[in-house]
Amino acid sequence: MQLQGKRALVTGSSGGIGQAIAVAFGREGADVAVHYHKDAAEAKEVVEELQRLGRRVVALQADAAAVAEMQRLVAQTVQALGGLDILVNSAGIEIRQPFLEVTEEHYDLVLDINLKGAYFCAQAAARQMVQQGTGGRIINISSIHEDVAFLNYSSYCLSKGGMRMFARTVCQELAPHRITINNIAPGAIATPINVRTLQDPTLLHELTSVIPLGRLGTPEEVAAVAVFLASDAASYVTGCTYYVDGGMTRWNKGL
Ligand code: BGC
């Protein structure tokens, strides 16, 4: 087991990629705080699965857009698990809207959840890790769109591009404390965020035809990389982004 005795907080882990990461961490021996915003029932299912694995686990509610709530989330995790060794920032949303129509409300919602919440959650987690003095791991679930354009998703791209520079910048400040910070950039993964595409055969065909591996990824395929980055095996990796996208960012029509 690669994460035996580690204590992890995974934001947005009542569903999607976060859920798969919480479960994968539990399988590798970690105790886990499952964070959710609205879906208490789904969080309960994840908690039960982790309990079946024999892990210490707690479900914690918080609005990822509110800095004070993310700070409370970290404090409650520490209280429940006795410390914090790994933070995964997986809570996130996307809203499809042409740039000319984006409102301030839309902008604030996406940026507050995807970037501001993640930033201050990482800060609170890092403060705790510094105090513990035993190093730590911060993993941000960004997106291939931290790097690649995404038509009609300018606010999402802004938030993920911010996450890119966040990891690249603070890795230096955290390194003396043996805290690493890295991003995972998923491509198209079969989760609720892609439900519109998954339900439309034409859109699905268009999407898979620009993915060299010819299919969407699974949340478990993202979780496998998260386990690696959270483990001792990744002790010399910081300030990086790992792409988990079936080659999507490398696709080219070859005309
Ligand atoms: C988005 C998905 C999209 C994928 C590939 C992800 O970050 O959340 O909606 O399908 O990138 O473009």
Side-chain angles (χ1 to χ4, degrees), residues 94 142-145 150 156 186-188 193-194 207 248:
E94 64 186 35
S142 67
S143 164
I144 58 168
H145 302 298
F150 195 13
Y156 184 71
I193 214 168
N194 280 305
L207 179 60
M248 191 174 177

Side-chain angles (χ1 to χ4, degrees), residues 29 60 65 87 92 99 142 177 183 192 195 205 211 222 236 241 249:
L60 298 169
L87 166 70
F99 167 58
S142 67
H177 304 285
N183 290 2
V195 74
H205 176 74
I211 302 172
V222 180
Y236 203 55
T241 297
T249 45

Side-chain angles (χ1 to χ4, degrees), residues 134-148:
T134 48
R137 297 276 187 271
I138 298 171
I139 300 164
N140 300 310
I141 307 304
S142 67
S143 164
I144 58 168
H145 302 298
E146 69 162 50
D147 194 23
V148 174

